[in-house]
Amino acid sequence: MKFEYENSFEVKHKIQERKIAILPIGAIEAHGPHLPLSTDNILAERLSEKLAEKVHAFVLPTLPYGQVWSLRDFPGSINISNESLISVLVDIGTSLYKQGFRIWAIVNGHLGNQPALKDAARVLYDQFQDFKVFYFFYPGMNAILKDVRETQSVHSTYFHACEIETSIMLYLAEEHTNMDKAICDIPDIPESADFTPTPWQKFTNTAVLGDAILATKEKGEKIVETAIEKMAAMLRSAKDEIA
Amino acid sequence: MKFEYENSFEVKHKIQERKIAILPIGAIEAHGPHLPLSTDNILAERLSEKLAEKVHAFVLPTLPYGQVWSLRDFPGSINISNESLISVLVDIGTSLYKQGFRIWAIVNGHLGNQPALKDAARVLYDQFQDFKVFYFFYPGMNAILKDVRETQSVHSTYFHACEIETSIMLYLAEEHTNMDKAICDIPDIPESADFTPTPWQKFTNTAVLGDAILATKEKGEKIVETAIEKMAAMLRSAKDEIA
Amino acid sequence: MKFEYENSFEVKHKIQERKIAILPIGAIEAHGPHLPLSTDNILAERLSEKLAEKVHAFVLPTLPYGQVWSLRDFPGSINISNESLISVLVDIGTSLYKQGFRIWAIVNGHLGNQPALKDAARVLYDQFQDFKVFYFFYPGMNAILKDVRETQSVHSTYFHACEIETSIMLYLAEEHTNMDKAICDIPDIPESADFTPTPWQKFTNTAVLGDAILATKEKGEKIVETAIEKMAAMLRSAKDEIA
Amino acid sequence: MKFEYENSFEVKHKIQERKIAILPIGAIEAHGPHLPLSTDNILAERLSEKLAEKVHAFVLPTLPYGQVWSLRDFPGSINISNESLISVLVDIGTSLYKQGFRIWAIVNGHLGNQPALKDAARVLYDQFQDFKVFYFFYPGMNAILKDVRETQSVHSTYFHACEIETSIMLYLAEEHTNMDKAICDIPDIPESADFTPTPWQKFTNTAVLGDAILATKEKGEKIVETAIEKMAAMLRSAKDEIA
Amino acid sequence: MKFEYENSFEVKHKIQERKIAILPIGAIEAHGPHLPLSTDNILAERLSEKLAEKVHAFVLPTLPYGQVWSLRDFPGSINISNESLISVLVDIGTSLYKQGFRIWAIVNGHLGNQPALKDAARVLYDQFQDFKVFYFFYPGMNAILKDVRETQSVHSTYFHACEIETSIMLYLAEEHTNMDKAICDIPDIPESADFTPTPWQKFTNTAVLGDAILATKEKGEKIVETAIEKMAAMLRSAKDEIA
Amino acid sequence: MKFEYENSFEVKHKIQERKIAILPIGAIEAHGPHLPLSTDNILAERLSEKLAEKVHAFVLPTLPYGQVWSLRDFPGSINISNESLISVLVDIGTSLYKQGFRIWAIVNGHLGNQPALKDAARVLYDQFQDFKVFYFFYPGMNAILKDVRETQSVHSTYFHACEIETSIMLYLAEEHTNMDKAICDIPDIPESADFTPTPWQKFTNTAVLGDAILATKEKGEKIVETAIEKMAAMLRSAKDEIA
């Protein structure tokens, strides 16, 4: 399942059979006191592994650096520009296509990457007509969150190191989650943050956007299993279209 | 030691104390029947860990994609352009500098990356006067190889999946080395390969450039320990210059 | 109020006094049978004029070309890449700053432009510390839509040539709205459209995403007046910060 | 005739019938005390409308920002780089071609845009063999000027806010021309201005290069009608070549 | 005088004293049957040498490749893009400035290079405030041509391999001019050639734009000596401004 | 043999017959007290002429500017970036291919250019399948040096203005070599210079890396004649493959 441990003599026919490559991508980014800098990478990786099992795909090595503009000034964050990210992803996609893959699922653990992933997928869409590229970020989550949340969301589209993300970590990577240090920090995000460049230090000192203390493995499970089901369904459907 | 498992609340003072970040970089590339596609990443990672212990540095998450022009047509290879690689590395370096690192050691397991690493380091050199960037590829190896080799080198500057690289794998990652499948394949590399674009399928079907069967852990140890010593010495000396 | 009709001899002190420039930006894009290709430009322009009156700002000439990837294959659409858009906007912003403006409100009538606007604003953010750039797309709309809608939204983030956009046109530019031709066409947008490049011809022949027949001037008024209030408030607050 | 007010349902066959798209392009630029910043846009727009009538073409929305290096430091000027301009124009041209247009006439009101227009046209020339792109700047003017001028030209290739340009404005857009404020300011342009970067503040405080007081509608008419005739003839001839 | 034959030990103080570097630039381009492909380089070089003597400047090695779009399809032409040319020139200019030069005269023998030279000079203008860059193309020529020409010009701004250019060659490089092969070929250049991309094979088979047979050394001398005088005067004046 | 002195009327069939173009490329770079700044250009040019005679090829005009990062701060050096160099070379190569050449030998006199040459050749390799591009830097030299050297090499891959390069100059361009000024200066190059950006002023004041006094014409002859033989053999073999 892990592409990196395959060898060149045997991999060719496996690619032709499986057809699907999954790339975990996340970021190195501040995630409060209770979650590691690599949280988004860990999540992307674990999601990818679960997904790969469901659809008999290869998991590529994680691309561990992402676009971290909003939190770039927080200790530990490493930021890659959209341009760099798009460029690397188009290169990887081009190689995957030439190697025989026909479906590429980028499983993204960091919302800030999403615009670059979309752009890279569009470039590849114009280059290779029979190459299907997905850029997944927890499909189906919005519906689930209504059930799961005990606290109100602080923002309509993003969540970070909070009840939600910590729950997902508890389910997927409990060993990297330190609930003893979990905090509740509910920032007041100004409406203008959606309409003018606003680094997050303007409204939070912790990078925790909510109440991480309320996180549970069960909440995480619901979100993750829904996302996995939805991703698997889309990949299966894409594979059916090829065959 | 692993930067990715640090958290944002505690990492700041550790960066200021350690000052050195180590980035393992390799490639996904054909390495014959006995070594995995990720050989160069595994080597870079293990070298980085050993080096980090010696110099009390942070190891960053591995950048697992590299410039693989020569073997890009072999099954399993994934190729990134020099431009993409330079762009990502300059971004990472810029973040590291802003985070407080003053020495960045890129530990490279794949020779094809070396020109891009050098270019990225030069860009950063002009941007940040007090930021020292290293791009290491087995320093001191040439001298050691004279002792270690039982077979003649097939090329004056590169080696691949052969007596040498397999030995290094045996020492650093025996669990990823399958000596049962090791082969001897000594290609006749035309002199023109150094002076005109020459994908390796022109002279090898296996991507093994020599006799992998002769690989031993001891040979690998000599090469690796020399390289580690030399890298550690350069980093210590750079750190002394800062203080 | 219209910057374009000012002359060079008198404009300097007016810039220093007003400090705010408003740029309408939209697109040339298919908008069904009842709305013109320039719908998004017209909306951006009328919104800008109303806003300018409230905050005593200059309105710049409309930038009438936008990023129209999703509908680029529909008759009449003209598509500009993100790269081109970012490049032009950074140039314009740089000139505005040098001319003495300190607040730049980009009033956007076309959702597809939003990522490029955000990127351009971030580039300028790093270049000019005392220059505030806004990229407005109907702030406050989500809350209003819950009251206003008679039909369900076909998508969680976008709307197009439907009950909503047609209502806004009726309020802002009734003379360009042909309700006799308005249609109801409720597409079934596949979930995958959010996660893989999906030109809209995959799910609509009309480019109308809903029931345009239900559009009313009153619905439009609520949305527009809310947006205007919110934009004006943010600009006033930004101007207060300068003074 | 105005492309922007067409709708997507009806525009397709009209494009196929008309085949010609006209883009007015100008600039926001200082034009002395008597002419507005948007002079070049207004001129390009009015010229385009007259031309469109003659050749039964569509007029696209005006691109109102141009390359204004020489006057960028004058109050009110907004400057776009050649690179940005070329990039946007190549994108627009590509869309026009895909939409079915086969002739694109860029009617330029600002001489500073001419090199970028030429470059963009050459890029499209190499991309689409059956796409004819024109970049018009008052064809035939040089011959007419000899008759029309009462004052000597201050420069062999450019004129600005002077007897000539003001005359054209009087003929095409009298409502935007304030002859009460017209001045005579004849600068001494050093010969070196043609051979080394020379912002115009080096030789003028007004941006008026000549005697605007001598402007008349009749002079403008001669220049404009000649230009229109010549442009129409070239477009008709290009259309004949297609048929 | 030739910079290339200086050595590093002695050149520093000479740069500081002379302050002026002259770069000859031309092209490899079809020039009819009687002139060599390198005509524009030869002319630029000889002009540069004469100029250098007058103003005590260094002559840099000739940049022998230029932008040859119009004649790129003629046998022997080699074409460089504007982008490449600008990039190289900005690099060279940056080095010259860092080496201590404060005036850079680019002596251009090929009109097609002029837009790129102007753009490169503007980039350097923004980077180095006390660096004066000239891009000379036969200053003063237009006035002289009225006296010198026996034939009418076929175009208002360019001349090529004709009475004029051949005369200049006879004066500057008679040994590379083969008058036995000189021809008269007066093309009918369509007016549209100024307004739409028009490779010259559309109107000439020879690349000779006029009557080369009428060329004389005396005509060349007038043009050249005027140009030299004018260039020298501008450089002296620029040098005076520095001192 | 010199392409630049050909004329457009006769060159076409000669290109088709000869098929090989040779481009000398070097640099303007500090070469100690006894060698001129243009040493690398002179060497590339003389090598090219000798090679052209052997293989009946055209010699193109020398590209006299190169990538001189390491010595850019020494008096007289002019530095071009890798990007500029690649861009120009890809343009030239594209023209050569379109003109009918099928083999392009870039004869390089300056090691710093080698990475850019390799990259340019790879770009052309992907664009034109039947175009063979060589980037020669003294092939066969390493073997010869063992015989020739009286002094030890100061570095495993580069040599500069020393016993070796001065010998080559004595053989190829004695008139530009001033042995009276030749010096012996054996620097101690730190091992880190291979792994971190290290401008040469860190270890030398002279730019002479060895004992130039020991240079002899005979040593130069051996190196040059070997290189010529090897280059000629590769070109002949490439020409055979075409035929």
Side-chain angles (χ1 to χ4, degrees):
Chain A
M1 198 178 72
K2 292 236 169 188
F3 191 68
E4 63 189 310
Y5 299 132
E6 295 292 320
N7 75 61
S8 182
F9 276 47
E10 294 165 10
V11 79
K12 195 173 182 177
H13 75 273
K14 292 188 190 174
I15 292 172
Q16 270 154 4
E17 181 213 347
R18 299 190 183 181
K19 293 230 168 16
I20 307 174
I22 299 175
L23 176 77
I25 180 169
I28 295 295
E29 186 186 43
H31 273 80
H34 64 302
L35 293 177
L37 296 173
S38 207
T39 295
D40 296 343
N41 292 323
I42 295 166
L43 293 176
E45 219 162 285
R46 301 282 164 96
L47 283 164
S48 295
E49 284 161 17
K50 280 176 169 279
L51 178 59
E53 271 175 31
K54 296 248 178 192
V55 298
H56 194 58
F58 272 125
V59 177
L60 301 169
T62 303
L63 189 58
Y65 299 99
Q67 199 261 36
V68 184
W69 193 90
S70 299
L71 281 167
R72 65 180 173 173
D73 298 329
F74 278 63
S77 294
I78 296 178
N79 179 37
I80 298 298
S81 70
N82 280 341
E83 292 74 23
S84 299
L85 202 45
I86 293 168
S87 184
V88 167
L89 289 168
V90 169
D91 287 350
I92 293 176
T94 302
S95 273
L96 293 175
Y97 181 80
K98 291 186 180 167
Q99 288 288 342
F101 289 105
R102 286 298 170 268
I103 295 166
W104 184 24
I106 309 177
V107 172
N108 180 20
H110 172 65
L111 186 60
N113 293 333
Q114 208 65 358
L117 302 191
K118 190 174 178 178
D119 275 10
R122 287 180 169 185
V123 171
L124 293 165
Y125 178 90
D126 281 345
Q127 272 174 22
F128 307 111
Q129 297 204 335
D130 56 339
F131 190 38
K132 191 98 183 168
V133 180
F134 292 90
Y135 37 92
F136 289 128
F137 184 74
Y138 299 103
M141 176 179 255
N142 285 345
I144 296 296
L145 286 188
K146 285 170 197 155
D147 293 349
V148 157
R149 273 192 179 286
E150 291 181 69
T151 50
Q152 267 228 310
S153 171
V154 298
H155 191 271
S156 63
T157 54
Y158 47 80
F159 58 91
H160 193 79
C162 59
E163 180 190 354
I164 302 307
E165 196 171 26
T166 309
S167 292
I168 305 176
M169 276 295 278
L170 280 175
Y171 179 59
L172 287 176
E174 195 171 7
E175 74 278 21
H176 291 298
T177 317
N178 187 342
M179 287 305 289
D180 294 346
K181 292 191 181 167
I183 60 173
C184 171
D185 183 17
I186 298 172
D188 187 18
I189 304 179
E191 190 161 17
S192 65
D194 287 349
F195 304 111
T196 192
T198 309
W200 286 15
Q201 60 266 34
K202 289 275 173 71
F203 53 77
T204 175
N205 293 318
T206 64
V208 174
L209 302 190
D211 189 350
I213 299 164
L214 294 175
T216 69
K217 196 181 277 200
E218 289 67 33
K219 293 175 184 173
E221 183 175 7
K222 282 187 193 159
I223 296 164
V224 166
E225 292 304 325
T226 302
I228 297 287
E229 271 318 312
K230 288 195 174 280
M231 293 191 284
M234 287 187 241
L235 295 182
R236 280 188 206 111
S237 156
K239 205 169 175 182
D240 288 348
E241 280 175 40
I242 295 172
Chain B
M1 198 178 72
K2 293 237 169 185
F3 192 67
E4 63 188 309
Y5 300 132
E6 295 293 319
N7 75 62
S8 182
F9 276 48
E10 294 165 10
V11 78
K12 195 173 183 177
H13 75 273
K14 292 187 189 175
I15 292 172
Q16 269 153 4
E17 180 213 347
R18 298 189 185 183
K19 293 228 166 18
I20 306 175
I22 299 175
L23 176 76
I25 180 169
I28 295 296
E29 187 187 42
H31 272 81
H34 64 302
L35 294 178
L37 297 173
S38 207
T39 295
D40 296 343
N41 292 322
I42 295 166
L43 294 177
E45 219 162 285
R46 302 282 164 96
L47 283 165
S48 294
E49 285 161 17
K50 280 176 168 279
L51 178 59
E53 272 175 30
K54 296 248 179 191
V55 298
H56 195 56
F58 272 126
V59 177
L60 302 167
T62 302
L63 190 58
Y65 300 98
Q67 199 261 38
V68 184
W69 193 90
S70 300
L71 281 167
R72 64 180 176 175
D73 298 329
F74 278 65
S77 294
I78 295 178
N79 180 36
I80 299 299
S81 70
N82 279 341
E83 292 74 23
S84 299
L85 202 44
I86 293 168
S87 184
V88 167
L89 290 168
V90 168
D91 286 350
I92 294 175
T94 302
S95 273
L96 293 175
Y97 182 81
K98 289 186 181 169
Q99 288 287 343
F101 288 105
R102 286 299 171 267
I103 295 167
W104 184 22
I106 309 176
V107 171
N108 180 20
H110 172 65
L111 187 60
N113 293 333
Q114 208 65 358
L117 302 191
K118 190 173 177 178
D119 275 10
R122 287 179 170 185
V123 171
L124 293 165
Y125 177 90
D126 281 345
Q127 272 174 20
F128 307 111
Q129 298 205 334
D130 56 337
F131 190 38
K132 192 101 183 166
V133 180
F134 292 89
Y135 36 95
F136 288 128
F137 185 73
Y138 300 103
M141 175 178 256
N142 286 343
I144 296 295
L145 287 188
K146 284 170 198 158
D147 293 349
V148 158
R149 276 191 177 287
E150 291 181 68
T151 50
Q152 266 228 311
S153 171
V154 300
H155 191 271
S156 63
T157 55
Y158 47 81
F159 57 92
H160 193 79
C162 58
E163 179 189 356
I164 301 308
E165 196 172 25
T166 309
S167 292
I168 305 176
M169 276 295 278
L170 280 175
Y171 179 59
L172 287 176
E174 194 170 6
E175 74 279 21
H176 291 299
T177 316
N178 187 342
M179 287 305 290
D180 294 346
K181 292 192 181 166
I183 60 173
C184 172
D185 182 17
I186 297 172
D188 187 17
I189 304 179
E191 190 160 18
S192 65
D194 287 350
F195 304 112
T196 191
T198 309
W200 286 14
Q201 60 265 35
K202 289 276 174 70
F203 53 77
T204 176
N205 294 319
T206 64
V208 174
L209 303 189
D211 189 350
I213 299 165
L214 294 176
T216 69
K217 195 180 279 200
E218 290 67 33
K219 292 174 184 174
E221 183 175 7
K222 279 186 195 161
I223 296 163
V224 166
E225 292 304 326
T226 302
I228 296 289
E229 270 319 309
K230 287 195 173 281
M231 292 190 283
M234 287 186 243
L235 295 182
R236 279 189 206 109
S237 155
K239 203 168 175 184
D240 288 350
E241 279 176 38
I242 294 170
Chain C
M1 196 179 73
K2 292 237 169 187
F3 192 68
E4 63 188 310
Y5 300 131
E6 295 293 320
N7 75 61
S8 182
F9 275 48
E10 294 165 10
V11 79
K12 195 173 182 176
H13 74 273
K14 292 187 189 174
I15 292 172
Q16 270 153 5
E17 180 213 346
R18 299 190 183 181
K19 294 233 167 13
I20 306 175
I22 299 175
L23 177 76
I25 179 169
I28 295 296
E29 187 186 42
H31 272 81
H34 63 302
L35 293 178
L37 296 173
S38 207
T39 294
D40 296 343
N41 292 322
I42 295 166
L43 293 176
E45 219 161 284
R46 302 282 163 96
L47 283 165
S48 295
E49 285 162 16
K50 280 176 169 279
L51 179 59
E53 272 175 31
K54 296 248 178 192
V55 298
H56 194 57
F58 272 126
V59 177
L60 302 168
T62 302
L63 190 58
Y65 299 99
Q67 198 261 36
V68 184
W69 193 90
S70 299
L71 281 166
R72 65 180 174 173
D73 297 330
F74 278 63
S77 294
I78 296 178
N79 180 36
I80 299 298
S81 70
N82 279 341
E83 291 75 22
S84 298
L85 202 46
I86 293 167
S87 184
V88 167
L89 290 168
V90 169
D91 287 350
I92 294 176
T94 302
S95 272
L96 293 175
Y97 181 81
K98 289 186 181 169
Q99 288 287 343
F101 288 105
R102 285 298 172 266
I103 295 166
W104 184 25
I106 309 178
V107 172
N108 180 21
H110 172 66
L111 187 60
N113 292 334
Q114 208 65 359
L117 302 191
K118 191 174 177 178
D119 275 10
R122 287 180 169 184
V123 171
L124 293 165
Y125 178 90
D126 281 345
Q127 271 174 23
F128 307 111
Q129 298 204 333
D130 56 339
F131 190 39
K132 191 100 182 167
V133 180
F134 291 90
Y135 37 93
F136 289 128
F137 185 74
Y138 300 103
M141 173 178 256
N142 285 345
I144 297 295
L145 287 188
K146 284 170 198 156
D147 294 348
V148 158
R149 276 192 177 286
E150 291 179 71
T151 51
Q152 267 228 310
S153 171
V154 298
H155 190 272
S156 63
T157 54
Y158 48 80
F159 58 91
H160 193 78
C162 58
E163 180 190 355
I164 301 308
E165 196 172 24
T166 309
S167 293
I168 306 176
M169 276 296 278
L170 280 175
Y171 179 60
L172 287 177
E174 194 171 6
E175 73 278 21
H176 291 299
T177 316
N178 188 339
M179 286 306 290
D180 295 346
K181 291 192 182 167
I183 60 173
C184 171
D185 182 18
I186 298 173
D188 188 18
I189 304 179
E191 191 161 16
S192 65
D194 287 350
F195 303 111
T196 191
T198 309
W200 286 15
Q201 60 265 36
K202 289 275 174 68
F203 52 77
T204 176
N205 294 319
T206 63
V208 174
L209 302 190
D211 189 349
I213 300 164
L214 293 176
T216 68
K217 194 179 280 200
E218 291 66 33
K219 292 175 184 173
E221 182 175 8
K222 281 187 194 160
I223 295 163
V224 166
E225 293 304 326
T226 302
I228 296 288
E229 271 319 310
K230 287 195 174 281
M231 293 191 284
M234 287 186 242
L235 295 182
R236 279 187 206 112
S237 156
K239 204 168 174 183
D240 287 348
E241 279 176 38
I242 294 171
Chain D
M1 197 178 71
K2 293 237 169 186
F3 192 68
E4 63 189 310
Y5 299 131
E6 295 293 319
N7 75 61
S8 182
F9 276 48
E10 294 164 11
V11 78
K12 195 172 182 177
H13 75 273
K14 292 187 189 175
I15 292 172
Q16 270 154 4
E17 180 213 346
R18 298 190 184 183
K19 294 230 168 15
I20 306 175
I22 299 175
L23 176 77
I25 181 170
I28 295 296
E29 187 186 43
H31 272 82
H34 64 301
L35 294 178
L37 296 173
S38 208
T39 294
D40 296 343
N41 292 322
I42 295 166
L43 294 176
E45 219 162 284
R46 302 283 163 96
L47 283 165
S48 294
E49 285 162 16
K50 280 176 168 281
L51 178 60
E53 273 176 30
K54 296 248 178 193
V55 298
H56 194 57
F58 272 125
V59 177
L60 302 169
T62 303
L63 189 57
Y65 299 99
Q67 198 261 39
V68 184
W69 193 89
S70 299
L71 281 166
R72 67 181 173 173
D73 298 330
F74 278 64
S77 295
I78 296 178
N79 180 36
I80 299 298
S81 70
N82 279 341
E83 292 75 22
S84 298
L85 202 45
I86 293 168
S87 185
V88 167
L89 290 168
V90 169
D91 287 350
I92 294 176
T94 301
S95 272
L96 293 175
Y97 182 81
K98 290 186 181 169
Q99 288 287 343
F101 288 105
R102 286 297 170 268
I103 296 167
W104 183 24
I106 309 176
V107 172
N108 180 20
H110 172 66
L111 186 60
N113 293 333
Q114 208 66 359
L117 302 191
K118 190 174 177 178
D119 275 10
R122 287 179 169 185
V123 171
L124 293 165
Y125 178 90
D126 282 344
Q127 271 174 22
F128 307 111
Q129 297 204 334
D130 56 339
F131 190 38
K132 191 98 184 170
V133 180
F134 291 89
Y135 37 93
F136 288 128
F137 185 74
Y138 300 103
M141 175 178 255
N142 286 344
I144 297 295
L145 287 188
K146 284 170 197 157
D147 294 349
V148 158
R149 275 192 179 286
E150 292 180 68
T151 50
Q152 267 228 310
S153 172
V154 298
H155 191 270
S156 63
T157 54
Y158 49 80
F159 58 92
H160 192 80
C162 59
E163 179 190 355
I164 301 308
E165 196 171 26
T166 309
S167 291
I168 305 176
M169 276 295 278
L170 281 174
Y171 178 59
L172 287 177
E174 194 171 6
E175 74 278 21
H176 291 300
T177 317
N178 187 341
M179 287 304 290
D180 294 346
K181 292 193 181 165
I183 60 173
C184 171
D185 183 18
I186 298 171
D188 187 18
I189 304 179
E191 190 160 17
S192 65
D194 288 349
F195 304 111
T196 191
T198 309
W200 286 14
Q201 60 266 34
K202 289 276 175 69
F203 52 77
T204 175
N205 294 318
T206 64
V208 174
L209 302 190
D211 188 350
I213 300 165
L214 293 175
T216 69
K217 196 180 277 200
E218 289 67 33
K219 293 174 183 172
E221 182 175 8
K222 281 187 193 160
I223 295 163
V224 166
E225 293 304 325
T226 301
I228 296 288
E229 270 320 310
K230 288 194 173 281
M231 293 190 283
M234 287 187 241
L235 295 182
R236 280 188 206 110
S237 156
K239 206 170 174 182
D240 288 348
E241 280 176 39
I242 294 172
Chain E
M1 196 179 72
K2 293 237 170 186
F3 192 67
E4 63 189 311
Y5 300 132
E6 295 292 320
N7 76 61
S8 182
F9 275 49
E10 294 164 11
V11 78
K12 194 172 183 177
H13 75 273
K14 292 187 189 175
I15 292 172
Q16 270 153 5
E17 180 213 347
R18 299 191 184 182
K19 294 231 168 14
I20 306 175
I22 298 175
L23 177 76
I25 180 170
I28 295 295
E29 187 186 40
H31 272 81
H34 63 302
L35 294 177
L37 297 173
S38 207
T39 295
D40 296 343
N41 292 323
I42 295 166
L43 294 176
E45 219 161 285
R46 302 283 164 96
L47 283 165
S48 295
E49 285 162 15
K50 280 176 169 279
L51 179 59
E53 272 174 30
K54 297 249 178 192
V55 298
H56 194 56
F58 272 125
V59 177
L60 301 168
T62 303
L63 190 57
Y65 299 100
Q67 199 261 35
V68 184
W69 193 89
S70 300
L71 282 167
R72 65 180 175 174
D73 297 330
F74 277 64
S77 293
I78 296 178
N79 180 35
I80 298 299
S81 70
N82 279 341
E83 292 74 23
S84 298
L85 202 45
I86 293 168
S87 184
V88 168
L89 290 168
V90 169
D91 287 350
I92 294 176
T94 302
S95 272
L96 294 175
Y97 181 80
K98 290 187 180 167
Q99 289 287 343
F101 288 106
R102 286 298 170 267
I103 295 167
W104 184 24
I106 309 176
V107 172
N108 179 21
H110 172 66
L111 186 60
N113 293 333
Q114 208 66 358
L117 302 192
K118 190 174 176 177
D119 275 10
R122 286 179 170 186
V123 171
L124 293 165
Y125 178 90
D126 282 345
Q127 272 174 22
F128 307 110
Q129 298 205 332
D130 56 338
F131 190 38
K132 191 100 183 166
V133 179
F134 292 89
Y135 36 93
F136 288 128
F137 185 74
Y138 299 103
M141 175 178 256
N142 286 344
I144 297 295
L145 286 188
K146 284 169 198 156
D147 294 347
V148 158
R149 275 191 178 288
E150 292 181 68
T151 52
Q152 266 229 311
S153 171
V154 297
H155 190 272
S156 63
T157 55
Y158 48 81
F159 58 91
H160 193 78
C162 59
E163 179 190 357
I164 301 308
E165 196 172 26
T166 309
S167 293
I168 306 177
M169 276 295 278
L170 281 175
Y171 178 58
L172 287 176
E174 194 170 6
E175 72 279 21
H176 292 299
T177 316
N178 187 341
M179 287 305 290
D180 295 346
K181 291 193 182 167
I183 60 174
C184 172
D185 183 19
I186 297 172
D188 187 18
I189 303 179
E191 190 161 16
S192 65
D194 287 349
F195 304 111
T196 191
T198 308
W200 286 15
Q201 59 265 35
K202 289 275 175 69
F203 52 77
T204 176
N205 293 319
T206 63
V208 175
L209 302 190
D211 189 349
I213 300 164
L214 294 176
T216 68
K217 195 180 279 199
E218 290 67 33
K219 293 174 184 173
E221 182 175 8
K222 281 186 193 162
I223 296 163
V224 167
E225 292 305 325
T226 301
I228 296 288
E229 270 319 309
K230 287 194 174 281
M231 293 191 282
M234 288 186 241
L235 295 182
R236 278 187 207 112
S237 156
K239 205 169 174 184
D240 287 349
E241 280 176 38
I242 294 172
Chain F
M1 197 178 72
K2 291 237 169 186
F3 191 67
E4 64 188 309
Y5 300 131
E6 295 292 321
N7 75 60
S8 183
F9 275 49
E10 293 165 10
V11 79
K12 195 173 183 177
H13 75 272
K14 292 187 190 175
I15 292 172
Q16 269 153 4
E17 180 213 348
R18 298 191 184 180
K19 293 230 167 15
I20 306 174
I22 299 175
L23 177 76
I25 180 170
I28 295 295
E29 187 186 42
H31 272 81
H34 64 302
L35 294 177
L37 296 173
S38 207
T39 294
D40 296 343
N41 292 322
I42 295 165
L43 293 176
E45 219 161 285
R46 302 283 163 95
L47 282 164
S48 295
E49 285 162 15
K50 280 175 168 281
L51 179 58
E53 273 175 29
K54 296 248 178 192
V55 298
H56 194 57
F58 272 126
V59 177
L60 302 168
T62 303
L63 190 57
Y65 299 100
Q67 200 261 37
V68 185
W69 192 90
S70 300
L71 281 166
R72 66 181 174 172
D73 297 330
F74 277 64
S77 293
I78 296 178
N79 180 36
I80 299 298
S81 70
N82 279 340
E83 292 76 22
S84 298
L85 202 45
I86 293 168
S87 185
V88 167
L89 289 168
V90 169
D91 287 349
I92 294 175
T94 301
S95 273
L96 293 175
Y97 181 81
K98 290 187 180 166
Q99 289 287 342
F101 288 105
R102 286 298 171 266
I103 295 167
W104 184 24
I106 309 176
V107 172
N108 180 20
H110 172 65
L111 186 60
N113 293 333
Q114 208 66 358
L117 302 191
K118 190 174 177 178
D119 275 10
R122 287 180 170 185
V123 171
L124 293 165
Y125 178 90
D126 281 345
Q127 273 175 21
F128 307 111
Q129 297 204 333
D130 56 338
F131 189 39
K132 191 100 183 169
V133 179
F134 292 90
Y135 37 93
F136 288 128
F137 185 73
Y138 300 102
M141 176 178 255
N142 286 343
I144 296 296
L145 287 188
K146 285 170 197 157
D147 294 349
V148 157
R149 274 191 180 287
E150 292 181 67
T151 50
Q152 266 229 311
S153 171
V154 298
H155 191 272
S156 64
T157 54
Y158 47 80
F159 58 91
H160 193 78
C162 59
E163 180 189 355
I164 301 307
E165 194 170 28
T166 309
S167 292
I168 306 176
M169 277 294 278
L170 281 175
Y171 179 58
L172 288 177
E174 193 170 7
E175 73 277 22
H176 291 299
T177 316
N178 187 341
M179 287 305 289
D180 294 346
K181 291 191 181 168
I183 60 174
C184 172
D185 182 16
I186 298 172
D188 186 18
I189 303 179
E191 190 160 18
S192 65
D194 287 349
F195 304 112
T196 191
T198 309
W200 285 15
Q201 60 266 34
K202 289 278 174 69
F203 51 78
T204 175
N205 294 318
T206 63
V208 175
L209 302 190
D211 189 349
I213 300 165
L214 293 176
T216 68
K217 194 180 279 200
E218 290 67 33
K219 293 175 184 173
E221 182 175 8
K222 281 187 193 162
I223 296 164
V224 167
E225 293 303 326
T226 301
I228 296 289
E229 269 320 309
K230 288 196 173 280
M231 293 191 283
M234 288 186 241
L235 294 182
R236 280 188 205 111
S237 155
K239 206 169 173 182
D240 288 348
E241 280 177 38
I242 294 173

